[in-house]
Amino acid sequence: PFELGQKVSGGLLPHARQLLERLPLDELDLVIVENVGNCVCPTNFDLGEDARLSVLSAAEGDDKPAKYAHLFQTADAVVISKMDLAEATRFNPDRAEKDIRVVTTHAPIFRTSVTGASSFEGLEMWLRGRIDAARRPHDDQRGVRRDSDPLLA
């Protein structure tokens, strides 16, 4: 049986799809699938997600967006986390954002810090907006209304 917080190892894709198929998706507002690791982890798996959020920790270094461009190119939004550590790690958020903008101009970038609760407000609003949009019937990229196709609803 599926359990919340269940860990998957040994080949993510087949296991993740099986777990997602067993979730009561009609009863959930948000499902987060975390690719645990670092920027080297594969980012080209399509799990049928509505949105992809890429997270860069200040502790990882401001050079990562240039080194691992695909992680940020495929993102619908980017979080630069642990900004409270930026000075101690010599992380330059402006450099990181500049390199992110080279590969994506549409993804909002949120800087978060454990010491600043208000730093999460923009991210929370973005997530709530995505949830609200997913609840509304709308045309997908193929022009099919989500509420008219049982596979998309």
Side-chain angles (χ1 to χ4, degrees), residues 127-140:
L127 286 169
R128 289 185 185 279
R130 296 300 298 225
I131 291 168
D132 290 345
R135 288 180 179 158
R136 289 191 306 269
H138 61 279
D139 293 343
D140 71 3

Side-chain angles (χ1 to χ4, degrees), residues 72-136:
F72 303 96
Q73 184 178 29
T74 60
D76 295 297
V78 176
V79 173
I80 301 176
S81 68
K82 301 180 183 177
M83 285 300 300
D84 46 305
L85 300 177
E87 186 176 335
T89 59
R90 296 189 172 138
F91 179 86
N92 181 337
D94 295 329
R95 175 185 175 195
E97 285 193 25
K98 180 179 170 236
D99 288 343
I100 291 167
R101 288 293 171 229
V102 169
V103 296
T104 181
T105 57
H106 75 279
I109 300 172
F110 304 101
R111 296 181 185 186
T112 61
S113 166
V114 71
T115 59
S118 64
S119 69
F120 288 90
E121 290 175 359
L123 175 60
E124 179 186 5
M125 287 176 34
W126 182 82
L127 286 169
R128 289 185 185 279
R130 296 300 298 225
I131 291 168
D132 290 345
R135 288 180 179 158
R136 289 191 306 269

Side-chain angles (χ1 to χ4, degrees), residues 2 8 11-23 25 33 44-49 52:
F2 176 79
V8 178
L12 169 71
L13 195 56
H15 295 293
R17 287 185 188 230
Q18 289 173 358
L19 291 173
L20 288 171
E21 288 171 1
R22 293 171 31 203
L23 284 174
L25 295 176
V33 177
N44 55 347
F45 293 128
D46 179 6
L47 297 175
E49 65 269 11
R52 184 171 288 201

Side-chain angles (χ1 to χ4, degrees), residues 18-35:
Q18 289 173 358
L19 291 173
L20 288 171
E21 288 171 1
R22 293 171 31 203
L23 284 174
L25 295 176
D26 291 341
E27 300 171 23
L28 301 173
D29 288 333
L30 180 65
V31 175
I32 297 175
V33 177
E34 181 181 7
N35 184 358

Side-chain angles (χ1 to χ4, degrees), residues 26 133-140 142-153:
D26 291 341
R135 288 180 179 158
R136 289 191 306 269
H138 61 279
D139 293 343
D140 71 3
R142 296 173 295 157
V144 177
R145 287 187 53 89
R146 288 177 62 114
D147 59 344
S148 66
D149 184 338
L151 295 176
L152 299 174

